[in-house]
Amino acid sequence: MEKRMKYVVVTGGVVSGLGKGVTASSIGVVLKACGLRVTSIKIDPYLNIDAGTMSPFEHGEVFVLDDGGEVDLDLGNYERFLDLRLTRDNNITTGKIYQSVLEKERKGDYLGKTVQVVPHITDAIKDWIESVAVIPVDGKEGLADVCVIELGGTVGDIESMPFIEALRQLSFSVGKPLLDSTKEKLSQFCHVAAENILNIHDVPNIWHVPLLLRNQNAHYSILKQLNLHSIATPPELQSWTKMAETFDNLTDSVRIAMVGKYVGLTDSYLSVVKALLHACIACSLKPVIDWIAASDLEDDSAKLAPEAHAAAWNTLRNAKCVLVPGGFGDRGVKGMILAAKYARENNVPYLGICLGMQIAVIEFARSVLRLERANSAEFDDQTPNPVVIFMPEGSRTHMGSTMRLGSRRTLFQTPDCITSKLYCNPEYVDERHRHRYEVNPELIELLEEGGLKFVGKDETGKRMEVLELPSHPFYVGVQFHPEFKSRPGKPSALFRGLVLAATGQLEAYLNGHHNGGLSIELNRCGYSFYVYNFFQHVFHVWFADASYLF
């Protein structure tokens, strides 16, 4: 008998951002614990082709996949929860669907027919879902057992209607004949059997959400509706339970200064926060992240907002390490430079990611090489010392998908550097990128003569990927984004290094004496820690194959 894909669709909610993604991911975790192979799709009804041009203030973090796809942050949750490697096609948007339909119309594929939302748009949605669901994303060959689909947005959004209609049609085309009682429930939208109503209440950390689902037999209802009991096993979540409980009981902490420009919306740095959590738990610590608006550190702030300025500097000085994450635009750059200078001069562990690496180069050129007007061409196109320049192949007219994106290779120039040792001395690493500007290769010799070392480069040797300051205990900048591939069972090497340096354990760790270390055996399921407050809300979960409202 030919294997057929089964679907679970999560939708609903009166306000966006209250936890559909966590619920969808947790359902996947429980099904995976039952021995099933799971894949995921996120549907975003907005008209953008992808999330790449969206402001972090409005939409939160843009998550980057191996293939360079710039996608919704929920795909980051799916990858971490389920240890998957998703593709750009696992994120469906209205823009992508309409673009594909209009391209077909221009080519004459519809044979002169009037192109309409029904059936052409809805058919395109169904075709997209069914084609993407069969792509292996867990490193194994063959078809997954279940595809968990999250329909984003909120109830009543007009742009969601074609997707709801397409999913309704999909539930008929892929499933068994519907019972009259099921049809009645679907038609009335709100009739849900009492045994299928779940209570997902506030939890200390969201590791507990899959356990809440398991404890209320959510997996039993799902397996029953999808007719998967014959191949499923009882959910094995012992390691998961141990991790959740261990994290709750941690008492020691480490203070981390996060200096950025989007600190008003912490979802803008969601993967960075997750990576810090993964690294801290590996060191048996709870992270205390001190959010510092970079602009508050600047000299102008001392005049315009002296209290905020004083508080920002006090917070920075009390932190055990400093992290400057990625970003775009010149707002807050002066404050980031001051933070990098403080960390460099005071031997405070520093990790700069993407923009944070470029900031370190600018600060070093100004303070050490005495190039007072050294800058990035992004912030000053008239600078006489452009230590950071626009990539030669970049587009200045189009914003979407024109950056250096996705998984790229970094070759270590020497094994005798902190970064190489943290990665266990490989010849190279593959990490994900998202940037338009890069360190000027013409100034590398000058920078290295001053003491800054570029220990990781791309395959051409012209793109700088990793910098270190050998005279400093831990001063590292990377052009790539290591946070995107961090997992709780396998925290990012660089984030682990930052935490170890902040707690005085780095030297012993690199020498093989792993002080502290991980006190529990972590599995590789890809879940992440986050203290989350669940508001009261309702999710509708559809089961295609039985077409049942959950």
Side-chain angles (χ1 to χ4, degrees):
M1 182 177 175
E2 183 182 359
K3 184 177 180 180
R4 300 184 67 184
M5 177 64 65
K6 308 296 178 78
Y7 298 89
V8 176
V9 181
V10 180
T11 185
V14 294
V15 179
S16 181
L18 293 185
K20 290 191 295 297
V22 172
T23 301
S25 301
S26 298
I27 289 172
V29 168
V30 176
L31 293 177
K32 187 175 179 180
C34 291
L36 302 177
R37 290 179 62 195
V38 180
T39 184
S40 296
I41 293 175
K42 172 67 187 297
I43 297 174
D44 286 300
Y46 48 68
L47 284 168
N48 305 61
I49 299 297
D50 57 34
T53 59
M54 291 186 175
S55 166
F57 283 116
E58 179 176 333
H59 195 70
E61 170 189 78
V62 176
F63 191 79
V64 179
L65 302 170
D66 273 352
D67 65 3
E70 297 173 281
V71 297
D72 184 83
L73 57 81
D74 278 316
L75 275 79
N77 280 331
Y78 304 156
E79 286 205 341
R80 287 185 288 264
F81 275 55
L82 300 167
D83 199 15
L84 303 177
R85 288 289 183 267
L86 300 173
T87 73
R88 68 178 75 232
D89 290 338
N90 288 84
N91 193 188
I92 304 174
T93 69
T94 297
K96 285 181 179 179
I97 295 295
Y98 274 78
Q99 184 182 57
S100 68
V101 169
L102 291 173
E103 286 175 353
K104 288 183 179 180
E105 186 274 333
R106 291 289 84 188
K107 291 190 296 184
D109 289 359
Y110 296 114
L111 300 176
K113 292 186 178 296
T114 301
V115 179
Q116 297 176 289
V117 173
V118 181
H120 301 101
I121 295 296
T122 52
D123 284 351
I125 294 168
K126 290 187 293 181
D127 292 343
W128 193 302
I129 289 172
E130 291 183 289
S131 63
V132 171
V134 301
I135 299 173
V137 291
D138 58 1
K140 302 176 183 178
E141 297 294 328
L143 193 67
D145 298 300
V146 179
C147 178
V148 180
I149 302 173
E150 178 192 349
L151 175 56
T154 60
V155 170
D157 281 351
I158 191 168
E159 59 261 36
S160 299
M161 295 301 104
F163 292 101
I164 292 174
E165 172 60 20
L167 291 167
R168 185 192 68 81
Q169 294 177 19
L170 184 68
S171 69
F172 284 91
S173 63
V174 302
K176 299 173 291 183
L178 294 176
L179 300 175
D180 288 340
S181 58
T182 303
K183 292 180 181 179
E184 181 180 350
K185 290 176 182 177
L186 280 170
S187 68
Q188 297 184 26
F189 284 95
C190 295
H191 289 187
V192 180
E195 62 269 21
N196 289 338
I197 298 176
L198 304 178
N199 177 19
I200 305 179
H201 54 74
D202 290 1
V203 288
N205 68 74
I206 55 172
W207 279 41
H208 289 282
V209 177
L211 304 179
L212 287 176
L213 295 174
R214 188 275 314 274
N215 293 343
Q216 297 174 75
N217 291 317
H219 61 288
Y220 181 83
S221 296
I222 296 171
L223 296 172
K224 178 181 177 182
Q225 298 303 326
L226 296 183
N227 195 25
L228 288 172
H229 272 299
S230 61
I231 64 171
T233 60
E236 196 289 303
L237 288 167
Q238 285 86 351
S239 298
W240 193 282
T241 303
K242 190 172 184 180
M243 286 188 289
E245 294 175 349
T246 298
F247 182 66
D248 289 344
N249 294 323
L250 290 175
T251 55
D252 295 334
S253 62
V254 58
R255 302 196 76 90
I256 303 159
M258 180 89 81
V259 183
K261 59 178 63 179
Y262 311 123
V263 296
L265 178 64
T266 56
D267 270 2
S268 301
Y269 302 114
L270 184 61
S271 291
V272 175
V273 171
K274 301 294 188 182
L276 285 171
L277 289 163
H278 301 163
C280 285
I281 196 70
C283 299
S284 299
L285 295 166
K286 278 194 172 183
V288 177
I289 300 176
D290 291 324
W291 298 91
I292 301 176
S295 56
D296 287 344
L297 296 171
E298 297 174 1
D299 294 339
D300 289 346
S301 177
K303 302 174 184 177
L304 300 175
E307 292 184 0
H309 179 77
W313 275 102
N314 184 59
T315 300
L316 182 65
R317 294 187 179 106
N318 285 330
K320 294 297 183 182
C321 60
V322 177
L323 195 157
V324 177
F328 298 92
D330 62 357
R331 187 174 56 81
V333 163
K334 293 179 181 178
M336 296 178 198
I337 292 173
L338 289 170
K341 180 180 175 70
Y342 167 80
R344 182 181 59 79
E345 292 182 340
N346 292 278
N347 287 332
V348 176
Y350 175 90
L351 176 60
I353 298 173
C354 197
L355 173 61
M357 171 185 173
Q358 297 169 8
I359 290 294
V361 174
I362 295 169
E363 190 281 321
F364 189 85
R366 291 182 180 181
S367 301
V368 178
L369 302 183
R370 303 302 181 189
L371 303 175
E372 296 181 0
R373 289 190 58 194
N375 213 332
S376 167
E378 180 181 9
F379 314 135
D380 180 6
D381 58 7
Q382 300 299 316
T383 173
N385 304 112
V387 293
V388 178
I389 60 172
F390 191 80
M391 293 190 307
E393 72 274 32
S395 171
R396 295 186 182 275
T397 58
H398 289 70
M399 299 292 288
S401 296
T402 58
M403 290 185 276
R404 189 165 185 250
L405 293 165
S407 182
R408 306 295 179 109
R409 183 152 293 180
T410 294
L411 303 178
F412 288 111
Q413 307 302 298
T414 172
D416 189 26
C417 64
I418 288 175
T419 305
S420 177
K421 292 176 182 178
L422 285 170
Y423 277 102
C424 300
N425 295 314
E427 292 183 12
Y428 62 84
V429 292
D430 294 324
E431 294 281 10
R432 298 175 183 177
H433 293 67
R434 185 176 186 252
H435 64 100
R436 288 191 179 89
Y437 291 81
E438 59 190 15
V439 180
N440 188 346
E442 295 182 1
L443 297 179
I444 298 306
E445 184 176 353
L446 180 63
L447 289 163
E448 291 202 318
E449 286 176 355
L452 201 62
K453 300 301 179 184
F454 292 90
V455 299
K457 301 180 181 180
D458 80 336
E459 293 162 304
T460 70
K462 296 180 179 179
R463 285 195 159 109
M464 303 302 110
E465 294 282 3
V466 185
L467 69 78
E468 291 185 8
L469 190 60
S471 61
H472 193 284
F474 187 91
Y475 195 86
V476 177
V478 290
Q479 188 59 70
F480 50 77
H481 289 263
E483 68 270 22
F484 289 142
K485 292 177 71 171
S486 180
R487 303 287 184 269
K490 189 180 179 182
S492 163
L494 289 165
F495 281 82
R496 184 199 288 263
L498 179 68
V499 173
L500 289 168
T503 54
Q505 302 179 68
L506 179 61
E507 184 176 357
Y509 179 86
L510 295 179
N511 291 331
H513 307 294
H514 295 239
N515 295 354
L518 191 58
S519 59
I520 58 175
E521 181 181 355
L522 290 175
N523 62 19
R524 302 289 297 278
C525 53
Y527 193 78
S528 55
F529 305 90
Y530 193 51
V531 179
Y532 196 94
N533 179 31
F534 282 92
F535 295 85
Q536 291 183 335
H537 56 287
V538 176
F539 295 119
H540 299 305
V541 184
W542 303 354
F543 300 100
D545 192 61
S547 301
Y548 198 85
L549 264 177
F550 182 78

